[in-house]
């Protein structure tokens, strides 16, 4: 669908060359519109009223809030052994994922034969045949990208549990037989990393204990609420003490609960334990805790989110418990999530990387980012950003949104007031910020189906400059490969049976030669279709009032960067 950039006001005089960068030093430009009589012109953003079928954002640049932090700082990998051992090209993350600060290694220290850090995970007669070389190599590859590893200690190695029944996720669900032995194991894991990278470096990493600790499919002592609760707290205390013995008292450690759904036991009990309970290892009060993470999943394609709790409500449950217990300085984040399922493939309906390829995913991501800014949520860890996850692949709309949002990090949020005159109901929101250099940045999205194909978004701000340079990027079907891929599949009669998991996935889980040939034959076309295009213009204001209108399709996202030219 072709899009039109509309600067619908006599206040805005455009240079007119779409995609070209205007030279702000020149006065040349297209013929200017005849100005409206000064008496009818709005003098401030507060005076601007929306037109019919128009979504208006009035920006108050005098209302400065806190600086925006990086909400897209983390990514997680299912197994570092299959994700991080090959390494990446030099500067891969700085060039492709400049926003990533941390890679979370899930279940990094054990749980099954593939995860246990032993030469022979099955031989319980030998307890110290450590094999730490792969963990060290993976951390080295991550650090080489200028990114920190996060070590989420895994389920207990099989040889440390007499009963080591694997659950839904294929890992040992039981606690260790001997917590002293497990303490020594975690000490040795940490010591091996310190020997390679130095104590100061390893102490700067974030650590976690298990994944979704109250999820009985991950960790359960005979499905007993009380026994499992105590076993997890004991495991957490033991792990924290072992890390402190090697790295020092000031470790960065926390835990990841489901919270968006109910678990075998209440996560609030763990938070109370860390605040005021008796530490199972030290016998003293409390256990170190610097962050609390949750899972947040909507269940279907992001047309109508259906999570049991909203993202703000999910975080608020653990935040309220922590603050009630006197812990007021914790970090709060999402260690995994987004969208669970789409159309079923031949094996499952799961979405790879938990995102859909549809452009609506971009609007969904922008929606989550705004919710995090509104509710002081620190980060959301993603599974992947290209058609190859964290490798060289075709960019997804999620990657475009993350890259563009990252440019807002460090700038101060400014006030946004909404006004509209339009039939029907569509979710539309905007986030705006101003940098130290006076640059105004805006992220706006529409989310939902129905109504007109395109939606006019209008922005009014008292910029205080005679002119401004505007950079605009649209994250819509013209910046996405997936509509072309889907059309090619339909034309070639490539249906769901050609994919293992959901064909709605942004990383197509192809399993047949026919589908793979179609993808490879057209990969160049898809890469070109996914390129993010930008338009740069110079506009004039009327008495410092900036008034811009942009049409975008629903559901999609637009980013605007406005540099005042005095």
């Amino acid at each position: 669908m072709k899009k039109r950039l509309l600067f619908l006001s006599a206040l805005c005089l455009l240079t007119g060359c779409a995609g070209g960068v205007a030279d702000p030093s020149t006065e040349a430009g297209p013929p200017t519109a005849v100005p409206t009589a000064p008496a009818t012109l709005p003098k401030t953003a507060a005076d601007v009223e929306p037109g019919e079928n128009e979504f208006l954002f009035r920006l108050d640049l005098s209302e400065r809030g806190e600086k925006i932090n990086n909400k897209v700082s983390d990514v997680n990998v299912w197994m570092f052994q299959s994700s991080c051992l090959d390494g990446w090209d030099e500067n891969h993350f700085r060039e492709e994922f400049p926003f990533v600060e941390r890679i979370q290694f899930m279940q990094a220290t054990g749980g099954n034969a593939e995860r246990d850090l032993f030469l022979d995970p099955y031989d319980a007669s030998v307890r110290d045949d450590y094999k730490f070389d792969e963990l060290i190599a993976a951390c080295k590859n991550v650090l080489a990208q200028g990114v920190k590893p996060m070590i989420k200690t895994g389920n207990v190695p099989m040889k440390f549990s007499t009963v080591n029944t694997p659950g839904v996720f294929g890992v040992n669900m039981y606690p260790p037989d001997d917590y002293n032995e497990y303490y020594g194991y975690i000490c040795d894991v940490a010591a091996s990393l310190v020997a390679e990278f130095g104590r100061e470096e390893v102490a700067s990493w974030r650590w976690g204990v298990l994944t979704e600790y109250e999820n009985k499919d991950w960790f359960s002592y005979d499905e007993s609420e009380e026994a499992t609760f105590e076993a997890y707290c004991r495991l957490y205390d033991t792990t924290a003490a072992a890390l402190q013995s090697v790295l020092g008292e000031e470790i960065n450690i926390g835990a990841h609960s489901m919270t968006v759904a109910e678990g075998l036991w209440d996560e609030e009990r763990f938070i109370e334990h860390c605040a005021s309970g008796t530490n199972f290892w030290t016998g003293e009060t409390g256990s170190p805790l610097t962050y609390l993470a949750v899972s947040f999943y909507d269940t279907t394609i992001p047309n109508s989110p259906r999570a049991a709790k909203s993202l703000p409500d999910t975080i608020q449950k653990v935040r309220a418990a922590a603050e009630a217990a006197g812990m007021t300085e914790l970090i709060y984040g999402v260690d995994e999530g987004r969208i669970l399922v789409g159309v079923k493939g031949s094996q499952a309906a799961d979405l790879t990387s938990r995102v859909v390829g549809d452009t609506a995913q971009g609007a969904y991501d922008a929606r989550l980012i705004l919710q995090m800014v509104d509710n002081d949520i620190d980060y959301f860890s993603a599974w992947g950003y290209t058609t190859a996850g964290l490798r060289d692949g075709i960019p997804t709309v999620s990657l475009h949104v993350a890259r563009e949002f990252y440019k807002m990090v460090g700038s101060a949020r400014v006030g946004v007031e909404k006004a509209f005159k339009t039939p029907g109901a569509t979710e539309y929101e905007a986030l705006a910020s101003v940098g130290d250099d006076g640059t105004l940045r805006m992220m706006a999205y529409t989310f939902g189906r129905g109504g007109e194909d395109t939606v006019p978004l209008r922005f009014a701000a008292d910029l205080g400059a005679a002119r401004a340079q505007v950079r605009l990027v649209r994250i819509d079907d013209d910046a996405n490969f997936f509509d072309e891929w889907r059309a090619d599949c339909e034309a070639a009669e490539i249906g769901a049976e050609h994919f293992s998991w959901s064909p709605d996935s942004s990383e197509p889980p192809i399993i047949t030669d026919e589908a793979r040939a179609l993808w490879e034959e057209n990969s160049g076309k898809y890469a070109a279709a996914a390129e993010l295009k930008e338009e740069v213009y110079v506009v004039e204001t009327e008495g410092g009032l900036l008034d811009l209108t942009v049409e975008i399709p629903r559901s999609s996202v637009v980013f605007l960067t406005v540099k005042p030219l005095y």
Side-chain angles (χ1 to χ4, degrees):
M1 178 184 299
K2 294 183 178 179
K3 321 297 185 307
R4 293 181 299 133
L5 171 68
L6 301 179
F7 295 123
L8 296 181
S9 175
L11 308 176
C12 303
L13 309 179
L14 297 157
T15 62
C17 45
V21 179
D23 181 358
S25 66
T26 180
E27 295 298 328
T32 62
V34 178
T36 308
T40 65
L41 284 172
K43 298 301 181 184
T44 68
D47 297 320
V48 178
E49 293 295 334
E52 200 67 32
N53 301 326
E54 186 174 65
F55 295 87
L56 171 65
F57 300 102
R58 300 189 189 102
L59 279 57
D60 184 354
L61 306 192
S62 67
E63 182 186 331
R64 302 291 174 92
E66 294 185 356
K67 290 189 175 181
I68 296 171
N69 75 306
N70 187 7
K71 307 301 183 185
V72 289
S73 58
D74 285 46
V75 293
N76 38 293
V77 295
W78 178 249
M79 287 187 65
F80 73 80
Q81 294 91 338
S82 58
S83 302
C84 301
L85 290 185
D86 291 339
W88 294 269
D89 292 339
E90 187 177 2
N91 295 322
H92 175 69
F93 271 72
R94 294 283 66 85
E95 294 171 1
E96 300 300 321
F97 316 118
F99 48 88
V100 172
E101 301 173 10
R102 188 178 298 105
I103 298 183
Q104 301 187 7
F105 292 3
M106 300 182 72
Q107 286 79 44
T109 58
N112 57 29
E114 292 72 34
R115 296 180 185 273
D116 290 357
L117 305 182
F118 295 96
L119 292 173
D120 188 350
Y122 295 105
D123 186 358
S125 68
V126 181
R127 318 289 281 190
D128 60 353
D129 57 328
Y130 298 143
K131 187 177 185 294
F132 296 148
D133 57 321
E134 289 184 338
L135 178 61
I136 291 169
C139 291
K140 187 177 295 184
N141 288 335
V142 169
L143 290 167
Q145 294 295 317
V147 177
K148 297 282 189 182
M150 173 185 176
I151 309 299
K152 298 179 79 167
T153 58
N155 292 62
V156 175
M158 295 186 297
K159 66 172 63 182
F160 288 164
S161 300
T162 302
V163 178
N164 52 39
T165 305
V168 172
F169 296 101
V171 295
N172 173 26
M173 296 192 299
Y174 279 80
D177 299 331
D178 184 344
Y179 284 92
N180 289 301
E181 181 178 50
Y182 190 77
Y183 174 90
Y185 174 61
I186 296 299
C187 284
D188 290 338
V189 170
S192 72
L193 295 170
V194 167
E196 182 69 29
F197 304 108
R199 181 173 174 271
E200 183 178 357
E201 173 61 41
V202 179
S204 72
W205 301 354
R206 186 175 292 169
W207 295 76
V209 180
L210 301 194
T211 292
E212 295 184 341
Y213 55 76
E214 87 283 33
N215 184 345
K216 66 183 179 68
D217 291 333
W218 275 114
F219 186 73
S220 172
Y221 199 139
D222 296 331
E223 295 197 15
S224 165
E225 177 180 345
E226 286 303 316
T228 305
F229 163 67
E230 179 176 323
Y232 179 73
C233 290
R234 188 181 295 273
L235 189 73
Y236 183 90
D237 294 347
T238 303
T239 302
L243 293 173
Q244 286 179 315
S245 73
V246 177
L247 303 177
E249 292 296 311
E250 300 302 316
I251 58 174
N252 185 352
I253 189 170
H256 166 195
S257 57
M258 285 193 298
T259 302
V260 72
E262 294 302 318
L264 177 63
W265 53 279
D266 194 338
E267 60 272 54
E268 293 174 344
R269 299 182 65 189
F270 164 71
I271 296 169
E272 292 168 0
H273 170 77
C274 289
S276 58
T278 300
N279 188 296
F280 283 101
W281 185 263
T282 67
E284 299 175 356
T285 299
S287 200
L289 183 70
T290 57
Y291 76 90
L292 288 170
V294 301
S295 292
F296 178 75
Y297 284 106
D298 276 307
T299 54
T300 58
I301 294 174
N303 183 14
S304 177
R306 298 176 183 175
K309 297 184 184 72
S310 68
L311 174 58
D313 287 344
T314 303
I315 290 291
Q316 182 56 25
K317 181 174 182 181
V318 294
R319 191 198 302 270
E323 292 181 348
M327 295 184 287
T328 58
E329 302 296 328
L330 300 185
I331 295 167
Y332 295 92
V334 181
D335 272 6
E336 60 174 284
R338 284 145 98 189
I339 312 297
L340 273 174
V341 298
V343 172
K344 186 179 182 299
S346 63
Q347 300 170 20
D350 301 61
L351 290 160
T352 58
S353 287
R354 297 303 192 238
V355 290
V356 295
D358 190 272
T359 298
Q361 182 69 52
Y364 181 85
D365 286 357
R367 185 176 189 264
L368 289 181
I369 287 170
L370 182 57
Q371 289 178 355
M372 287 190 283
V373 174
D374 282 343
N375 294 277
D376 193 24
I377 300 169
D378 293 291
Y379 68 90
F380 198 117
S381 188
W383 287 103
Y385 280 104
T386 76
T387 54
L390 298 176
R391 297 286 167 180
D392 289 320
I394 297 171
T396 64
V397 289
S398 292
L399 179 55
H400 292 326
V401 170
R403 281 175 173 169
E404 291 300 315
F405 165 74
Y406 184 60
K407 296 172 183 176
M408 303 180 77
V409 171
S411 58
R413 189 178 187 183
V414 298
V416 176
E417 178 190 19
K418 295 195 302 181
F420 66 93
K421 288 182 180 178
T422 185
T426 295
E427 181 176 328
Y428 74 105
E429 298 288 349
L431 173 68
S433 64
V434 174
D436 293 338
D437 62 353
T439 299
L440 170 64
R441 297 184 185 275
M442 295 170 277
M443 175 187 78
Y445 69 87
T446 62
F447 186 79
R449 303 294 187 185
E452 298 295 328
D453 288 340
T454 60
V455 177
L457 300 182
R458 187 178 178 187
F459 305 87
D462 296 316
L463 197 63
R467 295 188 303 162
Q469 185 182 75
V470 178
R471 173 183 177 267
L472 179 148
V473 295
R474 309 167 189 275
I475 300 172
D476 55 19
D477 279 354
D478 284 350
N480 190 6
F481 72 94
F482 201 75
D483 50 328
E484 283 86 357
W485 164 240
R486 179 169 276 163
D488 288 347
C489 285
E490 184 176 348
E493 298 183 347
I494 300 294
E497 69 276 9
H498 292 264
F499 304 88
S500 57
W501 285 11
S502 176
D504 293 320
S505 300
S506 62
E507 295 176 57
I510 297 169
I511 58 172
T512 67
D513 292 340
E514 297 93 327
R516 190 170 294 107
L518 180 67
W519 176 264
E520 292 174 354
E521 178 184 352
N522 292 283
S523 60
K525 178 179 73 172
Y526 302 144
E531 290 180 0
L532 189 63
K533 305 159 187 70
E534 67 175 33
E535 305 163 32
V536 181
Y537 298 86
V538 170
V539 301
E540 294 189 13
T541 69
E542 181 69 24
L545 174 65
L546 182 75
D547 191 347
L548 304 177
T549 299
V550 182
E551 276 196 358
I552 68 172
R554 53 177 113 204
S555 299
S556 66
V557 190
V558 64
F559 284 86
L560 288 156
T561 304
V562 179
K563 293 183 178 182
L565 302 174
Y566 296 97

